[in-house]
Amino acid sequence: MSLCSYCGRDNEAGAQFCADCGKPLSKAAAFERAARAVSGEAGARVSGAAVRDVPAPPAATSPGETCPFCGGETRPALPFCPQCGRRLTAPGSGPACPRCSTPLPPGARYCAVCGAPAATGTLWGRASAERRTDFRFALVLLDDAGREMQRFERSTVDTTIGREDGDVRFPEDPFLSPLHARLSWETQGLVVRDLGSRNGTWVFLQAPHRLVDGDLLLIGSQLIRFRRLGYPGPHTPEADATRRMGSLVPSADIASLSQLRSDGSVRDVLHLSPGRDVYVGRERGDWTFPYDPSMSAQHALIRSEDADFVVLDQNSRNGIALAARGDVVLGAGWRILVGDKLLRVEFPS
């Protein structure tokens, strides 16, 4: 077995990279990774010296256990390939969703997690959007029970929302910034973008969402921030070789959820570790908020997927909202929250 000096995991004999954190286990593997970073090829030249050819790894013994980068043997449960060190199950291993960073299989047109189009770059341009002939959609203002209160019919490329400025205004809403958000027709469809508002623009999730560092979630009336912590290194032994006592399970916390007050300060913090699923609710779960009447008894699940975490709605009454970062593509029936105004997006049939 080869012990990783970064995360402390025992790896199989002969592994070049840690299967848990992806760090090189030998100087040769570290040199190979540096060369690949410079040239993109294992046989590149670094400082005038040829990098040795890496022996071909053994073929996988069963379908679904082959690294897509080097062809070496691996296991689906491991986030990194032990042969080449490339990430297998998390963002960074290949094509990824531009919205939620979920890895995309070859040829995918839409993300299986958030539904965003897989196209990037020049395919997402404003010039193509302006060739549209139908810009119609409606914003429907909903009350707390989901009933329609007011309807705003729109037929322009851009629609802005604000308290003092904009095409749609709510002057009585103190949580709404003077100019808060913009909805616009782009190549991929109708998108919403926050305009630097104080309280953000929120989009209610329609499918499981893979959390990205810095994501802000609205669960009930609780504002929850997701942060990645990284893998901690192994503790160095004491001078007299005495082992330190402590809880062995879970062995490492690699992310956290922080409850934020209205002034931005942190109240309670829940740490996340690989293999641990966390339920959030008013009455039942690992993290409960009995004082929040807008939260369902069991509202959300934070599911561990190797080194990633995915949030899923548990058939809650009010759903889960995600603070918009950049352009977010909207579908028919999707709900957004600006200030304290809940709006539903509708398209003509």
Side-chain angles (χ1 to χ4, degrees), residues 92-290:
S93 60
C97 172
R99 176 179 169 192
C100 70
S101 299
T102 298
L104 297 172
R109 296 182 59 191
Y110 295 92
C111 174
V113 173
C114 70
T120 56
T122 57
L123 295 178
W124 285 21
R126 185 58 179 271
S128 298
E130 291 179 348
R131 292 197 294 266
R132 297 179 64 98
T133 59
D134 188 358
F135 302 106
R136 292 178 298 158
F137 73 97
L139 291 175
V140 180
L141 178 64
L142 306 175
D143 64 9
D144 292 339
R147 295 185 295 261
E148 181 174 332
M149 300 291 292
Q150 192 174 358
R151 190 177 186 89
F152 304 90
E153 300 286 350
R154 304 298 303 163
S155 58
T156 58
V157 175
D158 291 309
T159 296
T160 51
I161 304 173
R163 189 181 74 246
E164 298 175 358
D165 301 316
D167 304 300
V168 178
R169 304 177 188 180
F170 300 101
E172 79 288 352
D173 186 349
F175 297 100
L176 203 64
S177 292
L179 187 61
H180 196 104
R182 182 183 69 238
L183 289 87
S184 60
W185 286 101
E186 306 290 346
T187 304
Q188 67 270 35
L190 184 68
V191 303
V192 63
R193 172 180 283 270
D194 186 73
L195 297 178
S197 66
R198 180 178 296 274
N199 292 311
T201 299
W202 302 82
V203 179
F204 283 85
L205 299 180
Q206 305 297 309
H209 170 72
R210 192 176 301 273
L211 292 168
V212 179
D213 184 50
D215 273 351
L216 287 175
L217 298 171
L218 186 63
I219 304 177
S221 63
Q222 305 305 313
L223 186 60
I224 307 294
R225 180 175 60 200
F226 173 80
R227 285 293 189 192
R228 286 204 169 274
L229 306 177
Y231 277 93
H235 294 291
T236 57
E238 300 294 334
D240 60 359
T242 303
R243 293 188 60 182
R244 185 183 298 274
M245 295 180 62
S247 301
L248 299 179
V249 179
S251 59
D253 296 322
I254 62 173
S256 68
L257 297 173
S258 301
Q259 178 192 20
L260 303 181
R261 297 186 177 95
S262 59
D263 62 358
S265 62
V266 175
R267 187 177 187 269
D268 292 336
V269 177
L270 181 72
H271 288 89
L272 303 173
S273 56
R276 179 192 181 193
D277 293 343
V278 172
Y279 287 92
V280 180
R282 188 184 72 250
E283 299 174 359
R284 302 190 304 273
D286 306 280
W287 201 13
T288 58
F289 300 86

